Amino acid sequence: MQTNTTPPYSSLVAVGDSFTEGMSDLLPDGTYRGWADLLAGRMAAHAPGFRYANLAVRGKLIGQIVEEQVPVAAAMGADVITLVGGLNDTLRPKCDMDRVRALLTEAVETLAPACKQLVLMRSPGRQGPVLERFRPRMEELFACVDDLAARHGALVVDLYGAPSLSDPRLWDVDRLHLSAEGHRRVAEAVWQGLGHDPHDTEWRTPIPATLPPGWLMRRAEDARFARQHLLPWIGRRLTGRSSGDGLPPKRPDLLPYEGPSA
């Protein structure tokens, strides 16, 4: 039996967009849980008085994250800060990758000295045609993440390279956000990355194959996806609007946490 010798961290601040907010791990009350809440719950079980803040807001671009969340997170003095951002920028029709890299660099240079451990991620990439056109930008972003981590002593959790998280069955019907099982696996990945004994050694392993739906069902799902998710998403991109406009941070204060664990 393994014994975890990693000293417990006493606090966590999560910074980012919808991925870190927890969409689409929906709870019965209509709020979102997500990997960061699950990770905080697990960390709290090992550290009495553990504190947690989640500053993430859906739809935020890296410039907004740097302006609105990074200074707040740096001032909190948390042991661990997670930063995931820039992916929304890469999915825009026009994206200045030089600017994205510069802003991500600014964020890391601010946050790395402000905590004991900064956690960065190579975000998961779903299989499917919609994201294929953006994949080169995504991989350019992840190369920047790797470089910054090497220069500033940050931990990189590689979700992009995990076969399980590319499976469409671990994604919500909007094809942009992970399901509850997907978020559980991300929480496990970060937990292990921080040096803790695994709860699930197979989080990278793909789920067992099932028979794919028939042609008619696939076309019906595609039509529903386009109507309910793709067209509204395109409309927001073209008009410069965001699904997070006017929304407050998920958990703005660094307070004691007794929440979900998995």
Side-chain angles (χ1 to χ4, degrees):
M1 180 177 179
Q2 289 183 309
T3 301
N4 184 15
T5 58
T6 303
Y9 293 109
S10 65
S11 51
L12 167 68
V13 175
V15 174
D17 51 35
S18 60
F19 174 70
T20 301
E21 184 184 344
M23 296 174 72
S24 291
D25 185 5
L26 191 63
L27 295 173
D29 65 359
T31 62
Y32 293 108
R33 182 178 55 175
W35 66 266
D37 284 12
L38 293 169
L39 175 66
R42 191 180 292 186
M43 295 173 74
H46 291 261
F50 181 85
R51 297 175 299 150
Y52 169 53
N54 189 326
L55 306 179
V57 178
R58 68 195 72 172
K60 292 298 182 181
L61 302 173
I62 187 62
Q64 294 169 310
I65 291 172
V66 169
E67 179 180 355
E68 300 166 10
Q69 299 180 32
V70 166
V72 177
M76 286 181 167
D79 285 351
V80 178
I81 299 176
T82 66
L83 167 65
V84 187
L87 201 60
N88 282 333
D89 297 78
T90 69
L91 300 179
R92 295 273 170 149
K94 296 181 180 179
C95 175
D96 182 347
M97 287 303 299
D98 288 338
R99 181 173 183 272
V100 170
R101 288 193 299 270
L103 287 166
L104 188 60
T105 299
E106 180 182 343
V108 170
E109 289 178 346
T110 301
L111 293 175
C115 62
K116 293 181 179 178
Q117 182 62 68
L118 177 63
V119 178
L120 308 176
M121 296 188 202
R122 292 162 56 92
S123 304
R126 181 188 186 278
Q127 296 173 356
V130 174
L131 291 181
E132 283 306 314
R133 61 172 296 194
F134 302 108
R135 201 169 295 277
R137 289 181 186 170
M138 293 167 60
E139 293 180 350
E140 186 176 347
L141 175 69
F142 300 154
C144 180
V145 167
D146 290 342
D147 178 65
L148 288 170
R151 287 195 279 127
H152 295 278
L155 167 68
V156 177
V157 179
D158 185 12
L159 306 173
Y160 187 69
S164 63
L165 293 176
S166 66
D167 190 323
R169 292 172 294 173
L170 288 184
W171 293 70
D172 187 55
V173 294
D174 68 1
R175 305 183 185 182
L176 285 174
H177 301 105
L178 290 170
S179 66
E181 174 60 14
H183 279 283
R184 184 196 69 78
R185 292 185 183 225
V186 173
E188 178 67 30
V190 184
W191 173 257
Q192 292 184 29
L194 289 171
H196 297 289
D197 292 339
H199 290 204
D200 175 11
T201 58
E202 303 297 323
W203 72 267
R204 289 178 171 269
T205 303
I207 59 179
T210 58
L211 288 175
W215 186 88
L216 286 176
M217 182 174 292
R218 294 200 305 272
R219 299 295 77 77
E221 290 175 350
D222 288 344
R224 183 181 66 166
F225 160 70
R227 182 177 63 255
Q228 296 182 357
H229 301 288
L230 181 59
L231 292 177
W233 180 81
I234 292 173
R236 291 195 297 272
R237 299 292 81 79
L238 293 176
T239 58
R241 292 178 293 115
S242 167
S243 57
D245 288 346
L247 293 180
K250 179 176 183 178
R251 185 180 169 90
D253 299 312
L254 188 60
L255 298 173
Y257 186 68
E258 296 180 3
S261 60

